[in-house]
Amino acid sequence: MTTSDTETDTPQEPRDFIRERVRSDLTTGTMSQVVTRFPPEPNGYLHLGHAKSICLNFGVAKEFEGRCNLRFDDTNPAKEEQEFINAISEDVNWLGFKWDDEPKYASDYFDTLFGWAEQLIEAGKAYVDDLTADEIREYRGSLTEPGRESPYRVRSVEENLDIFRRMKAGEFPDGAKVLRAKIDMASGNINLRDPVIYRIVHKSHPRTGDTWCIYPTYDFAHGQSDAIEGITHSLCTLEFEDHRPLYEWLIENLPTPASPKQYEFARLNLGYTVLSKRKLTQLVQENHVNGWDDPRMPTISGLRRRGIPAVTIRDFISRLGVTKSESIVDPSLLDHCVREHLNKAAQRRMGVLRPLKVVIENYPEDQVEELDAVNSPEDEAAGSRKVSFSREIYIERDDFMEDAPKKFFRLAPGREVRLRYAYYVTCTDVIKDDAGEVVELRCTYDPETKGGDSPDGRKVKGTLHWVSAKTAVNAEIRLYSHLFTDENTAKLEDFLAAINPDSLEVLSDCKLEASLGEWPVGSTVQFERMGYFTTDLDSQDGALVFNRSMALRDTWAKIQAKG
Ligand code: ATP
Ligand code: MG
């Protein structure tokens, strides 16, 4: 079982340019308290990229004794659902963070935003455009060509106000008209070429129902919501750098109660996976995975289900730091953080993934011994338990080789190994089926070696884990590896073609020591020599399911690789 991990760290010194900035704003008295927000759009589940933003926003607020809001950016009812709102809240909590007060919603500000849009119109700074979406795109120009003004740009204030109100009243179908800010069609920054700030969407909203059929765009809702909430540092990813002039233009031209500032940092990209909600949605909807919380997914809920502790995700994010340069992070860094934590936190048990039966011929038929086994070499307080030993046991199939090379220190005909916490055994016979496959081993044991040492000082190099056949509990074990075979999935034209066909392997007849029969769902344990495993929520009475949360490093594979 793992120890509780609700504590979040509190570093004293600024570690990145954002914390530097916050520290300096607080010391110069530009502001008295830092206020941040995490602004997810509720159109999917959170992933590791979001965890970076969460750790930054909530982390900065906590470290500098400020506040952080959870604000749902719910401005597009076509894609947003209550299920996602619930899942996002749960994930932020699970990651160990608490938002200030109640969760906020951009939709809470729809009335205010509508009023501000009317004021822009009245000031001659917004107009209703009847061009189609395609025409607007065409008129916008490109990085090298200036845009062209829409013929509707010259509408009078009165006409604009009248049509905008009729848009709100539901007189026009989706896409018939939009409201645009009137800024500068010749601007070098495309975002300032009269951006769309309201569009018509006849769709029920999870919170406002059918009250609205026009919705503000991200650009119009985001900065204004920041201002309403008194956000001081609006932290977002680098792709919004080009939106910053628009963010500032809107704050300057609207009667907002505050003037938040936007700062951009590099998003997290992770190798061998995808961190794009659009792609993750596709994986779920087309059944390439078993839902948002499939343990192969880079979602917070998938990682949780796999048994990755929240503290290790925070540790991983904190080691990455916050910079302005994009890179692809090697997922083995997360693996390292997980192993480092679980090595200390997880108790040890024995479990055999691919069982091979062993009969100890000179061990009495009906005898059963209860042997002492330590629960954690890293934590004396975890104590010990009894494991039961008997004449028939299971060992790992890979721990036996018929024609073993010299460096193979496990079991082979005529060779002696130690059974963990038990005895030395020597393989005396190999039993095969008609197809020539090894189905059983015969061994003898040395009664003098109880507990794992020989009184005559005889040494053995290999120590194997095992499970008594009499008391073993059966389990299904799910092994996971990278969801994609390519490190850089972003550059692929067809990312689905790079799905790893072997990302999930299900072992159905695993044998675990009896104490694991009562293991609670979501608890993590180390199966000695095999890795860290967590009980899955599919477990039922008498039908345990474990997820491999993380493999241990395979020393044998390393020796082989070295030759
Ligand atoms: P996508 O582009 O996949 O749809 P998104 O960025 O639109 O994701 P949001 O729900 O809007 O998803 O994201 C909420 C917050 O999380 C935003 O502030 C966003 O910048 C941040 N975020 C999203 N992805 C990452 C990432 N990979 N690394 C860091 N921050 C991220
Ligand atoms: Mg977004």
Side-chain angles (χ1 to χ4, degrees), residues 216-270:
T217 56
Y218 169 86
D219 283 318
F220 193 65
H222 197 80
Q224 288 39 264
S225 302
D226 285 345
I228 292 168
E229 293 175 11
I231 303 301
T232 56
H233 298 75
S234 180
L235 311 177
C236 62
T237 40
L238 282 175
E239 64 271 25
F240 290 100
E241 197 163 12
D242 290 344
H243 293 238
R244 187 172 0 119
L246 174 56
Y247 186 101
E248 288 169 354
W249 187 92
L250 288 166
I251 296 284
E252 267 165 37
N253 286 278
L254 291 171
T256 54
S259 300
K261 294 266 180 304
Q262 174 181 306
Y263 302 91
E264 307 88 16
F265 63 96
R267 65 192 292 116
L268 169 63
N269 303 304
L270 197 63

Side-chain angles (χ1 to χ4, degrees), residues 37-54 57 71 73 88 218 222 235-240 265-270 275-280:
R37 85 287 171 266
F38 172 63
E41 181 178 357
N43 60 352
Y45 280 55
L46 298 181
H47 54 62
L48 273 171
H50 295 116
K52 179 173 182 179
S53 176
I54 291 169
N57 280 295
R71 183 206 311 144
D73 174 25
I88 289 169
Y218 169 86
H222 197 80
L235 311 177
C236 62
T237 40
L238 282 175
E239 64 271 25
F240 290 100
F265 63 96
R267 65 192 292 116
L268 169 63
N269 303 304
L270 197 63
L275 292 183
S276 139
K277 262 195 281 189
R278 184 182 61 76
K279 291 179 181 167
L280 293 171

Side-chain angles (χ1 to χ4, degrees), residues 91-265:
D91 288 350
V92 173
N93 263 321
W94 179 76
L95 277 173
F97 296 105
K98 286 199 177 56
W99 49 85
D100 185 59
D101 199 28
E102 292 297 312
K104 312 274 191 282
Y105 297 84
S107 57
D108 294 342
Y109 315 132
F110 281 174
D111 282 320
T112 308
L113 293 172
F114 180 79
W116 285 348
E118 286 186 321
Q119 289 182 33
L120 271 190
I121 295 173
E122 281 160 1
K125 291 174 182 167
Y127 61 98
V128 174
D129 198 350
D130 294 5
L131 292 184
T132 64
D134 283 342
E135 287 166 335
I136 289 178
R137 204 170 304 121
E138 192 198 317
Y139 274 63
R140 190 176 290 133
S142 67
L143 287 174
T144 48
E145 287 167 71
R148 279 182 292 144
E149 294 186 356
S150 162
Y152 301 98
R153 201 176 198 261
V154 293
R155 272 181 169 145
S156 70
V157 167
E158 290 67 34
E159 190 185 357
N160 278 318
L161 265 185
D162 174 58
I163 307 176
F164 185 51
R165 287 171 187 162
R166 284 161 53 203
M167 281 165 65
K168 179 183 184 238
E171 274 189 39
F172 309 105
D174 288 8
K177 295 174 192 305
V178 292
L179 186 71
R180 300 177 69 172
K182 194 191 259 185
I183 308 180
D184 179 7
M185 288 308 289
S187 171
N189 184 333
I190 290 181
N191 294 293
L192 293 179
R193 293 183 193 167
D194 293 7
V196 173
I197 58 176
Y198 262 93
R199 62 231 187 293
I200 302 172
V201 184
H202 287 274
K203 184 107 207 287
S204 231
H205 184 282
R207 291 178 56 83
T208 59
D210 296 319
T211 308
W212 297 89
C213 63
I214 57 169
Y215 291 92
T217 56
Y218 169 86
D219 283 318
F220 193 65
H222 197 80
Q224 288 39 264
S225 302
D226 285 345
I228 292 168
E229 293 175 11
I231 303 301
T232 56
H233 298 75
S234 180
L235 311 177
C236 62
T237 40
L238 282 175
E239 64 271 25
F240 290 100
E241 197 163 12
D242 290 344
H243 293 238
R244 187 172 0 119
L246 174 56
Y247 186 101
E248 288 169 354
W249 187 92
L250 288 166
I251 296 284
E252 267 165 37
N253 286 278
L254 291 171
T256 54
S259 300
K261 294 266 180 304
Q262 174 181 306
Y263 302 91
E264 307 88 16
F265 63 96

Side-chain angles (χ1 to χ4, degrees), residues 40-101:
E41 181 178 357
N43 60 352
Y45 280 55
L46 298 181
H47 54 62
L48 273 171
H50 295 116
K52 179 173 182 179
S53 176
I54 291 169
C55 289
L56 177 62
N57 280 295
F58 285 94
V60 162
K62 188 171 172 177
E63 287 153 42
F64 294 95
E65 295 175 352
R67 295 183 279 122
C68 180
N69 289 347
L70 171 63
R71 183 206 311 144
F72 292 99
D73 174 25
D74 56 347
T75 52
N76 181 8
K79 287 189 180 163
E80 295 158 8
E81 288 171 29
Q82 187 63 40
E83 177 199 345
F84 299 135
I85 293 179
N86 299 345
I88 289 169
S89 310
E90 184 187 352
D91 288 350
V92 173
N93 263 321
W94 179 76
L95 277 173
F97 296 105
K98 286 199 177 56
W99 49 85
D100 185 59
D101 199 28

